[in-house]
Amino acid sequence: MVRNRRRRSEAFLAAGLRIATEEGIEALTMTRLADALDTAVGSVYRYYASKDELIAAIQAHAVGELHCSHDRSVGPVADELASRVPDESAALVRVVVLGRWFCAAAERYPEEVRLLQLVSVRRTPTYTPAAAARLLPTTVAFVAAIADTVDAAVATGDLKPGPGFTRAIMWLTAFGGVFVADDLAHYAPAVLGGGRLIRQLNVDLLVGWGAPPDAVQRIEHAIDALADTSPLLR
């Protein structure tokens, strides 16, 4: 029974994510989701009491997927780079790798990243307490993981002092905006598309926070070389 319920919930989340990212958040209704899965709308309400709870659950699932990818990827890639850039601080290497993980995640998890951007620009009332309870723990844990990497680079002097949690939110928000801008690659191919703008955003943010530009570029080149033989996402 528990396994069946979990499978049913995963089906709702996957279909909801697809509808939200392909048709827009407003198109995602309980009836639309039920129709997509050829089930009764009452079945949806047994899992989610409102649209807000449904969206929060979908977002929490998307954030969880990204967090798992982050945990599988950033540390191991940074460890592999240690021998390629032995003169660079391990904390700086990790924060640069984190930026490149954002780029790779945009390609591997486009729906999850798209959803985060769509939800962030919603002009709707605050989530209900029940919806917030579904979303906040997962989201805070993901932002905290990013903040830990930023804080570590501050502690070693590789970045100027500043609040890691705030910087993590800024990074994620800016990342989402650039991801959407890349949709215009057809009209400005020399600037957009291919992850170029996201990569430049990462460099500009890190340098703006105090990272040495030359060191960032050396690490970037080492990541490029590693990517030729080993995936950046694990």
Side-chain angles (χ1 to χ4, degrees), residues 51-211:
K51 177 177 175 175
D52 258 3
E53 282 193 41
L54 171 62
I55 292 173
I58 294 170
Q59 188 180 7
H61 182 71
V63 170
E65 289 291 303
L66 292 171
H67 193 172
C68 287
S69 173
H70 165 278
D71 289 351
R72 289 193 305 266
S73 306
V74 175
V77 170
D79 290 343
E80 284 191 43
L81 280 175
S83 62
R84 295 173 182 256
V85 283
D87 296 331
E88 308 299 344
S89 159
L92 182 60
V93 170
R94 186 179 177 106
V95 81
V96 176
V97 169
L98 173 60
R100 288 294 294 272
W101 172 82
F102 283 140
C103 301
E107 296 183 9
R108 177 77 65 85
Y109 301 97
E111 289 187 335
E112 287 80 359
V113 172
R114 172 76 68 187
L115 178 71
L116 297 186
Q117 193 279 332
L118 291 174
V119 171
S120 70
V121 299
R122 288 180 74 206
R123 295 294 186 264
T124 56
T126 305
Y127 280 122
T128 64
R134 286 182 179 269
L135 175 61
L136 284 180
T138 306
T139 302
V140 169
F142 181 44
V143 175
I146 296 169
D148 286 346
T149 298
V150 174
D151 285 337
V154 170
T156 56
D158 294 299
L159 298 180
K160 292 183 292 189
F165 204 85
T166 300
R167 285 175 169 175
I169 293 173
M170 291 169 57
W171 205 345
L172 285 167
T173 303
F175 164 65
V178 169
F179 179 75
V180 172
D182 263 356
D183 287 346
L184 302 175
H186 175 74
Y187 304 100
V191 178
L192 304 173
R196 290 188 294 274
L197 202 60
I198 295 176
R199 288 184 60 172
Q200 189 59 54
L201 166 74
N202 290 331
V203 171
D204 289 348
L205 278 177
L206 293 177
V207 171
W209 291 338

